[in-house]
Amino acid sequence: MLNDAVRQRLVKAALEARRHAYAAYSGYRVAAALLCADGRIFTGVNVENAVYPLGLCAERTAVVKAVSEGCREFRAIVVVTPNAGAPCGACRQVLWEFAPDLHVVVADAQGRIHWEASLRALLPRPFGAGDLSEVEGG
Ligand code: THU
């Protein structure tokens, strides 16, 4: 699990990163702080686009940054949204790829933690790499 000092460090990192959120269309500014097994923390923000579907969520930005820097083992993620809104389904799936045992913490824009859960609880009956290997002729 996550000790309180680390939890607070992640909240602080996400709050700081949130200043860079690019939420030009929704106004819904999100940031994430992802803790890797080696102790590194990668932050990410949502990056929207005039072509709306091209916008990227904060969580996936953080995952892409971490994997690009050689980190694929994740322990925890703190997500900060204006109202402690939950991580979307697409982000849950992308996190699952690397860290089924991830601990997920959701906080609001003041850094108040609203809830915490395991990714396993947030993504029941997931699709994963194992499903592909069971395909006939695959
Ligand atoms: N958003 C995230 O960054 N993470 C989520 O898990 C939920 C939604 C962003 C996407 C979009 O830029 C804005 O919040 C409104 O949906």
Side-chain angles (χ1 to χ4, degrees), residues 1-12 14-15 76-85 103-117:
M1 267 278 275
L2 202 57
N3 75 46
D4 209 50
V6 177
R7 186 186 277 97
Q8 286 312 320
R9 203 144 59 84
L10 290 168
V11 169
K12 190 162 174 273
L15 286 174
I77 190 168
V78 168
V79 183
V80 171
T81 76
N83 54 356
H103 186 68
V104 180
V105 180
V106 176
D108 64 25
Q110 282 70 49
R112 283 187 298 254
I113 292 171
H114 285 237
W115 55 272
E116 309 189 21

Side-chain angles (χ1 to χ4, degrees), residues 15-31:
L15 286 174
E16 279 170 14
R18 191 165 170 270
R19 291 185 293 124
H20 303 300
Y22 181 67
Y25 303 97
S26 72
Y28 195 81
R29 302 162 65 82
V30 183

Side-chain angles (χ1 to χ4, degrees), residues 22-28 46-52 55:
Y22 181 67
Y25 303 97
S26 72
Y28 195 81
N46 55 335
V47 182
E48 297 186 350
N49 191 277
V51 180
Y52 292 2

Side-chain angles (χ1 to χ4, degrees), residues 84-125:
C88 79
C91 288
R92 296 178 196 200
Q93 177 66 36
V94 169
L95 289 164
W96 181 269
E97 179 74 19
F98 299 101
D101 290 315
L102 192 72
H103 186 68
V104 180
V105 180
V106 176
D108 64 25
Q110 282 70 49
R112 283 187 298 254
I113 292 171
H114 285 237
W115 55 272
E116 309 189 21
S118 67
L119 186 58
R120 282 187 193 281
L122 296 176
L123 192 67
R125 303 204 55 154

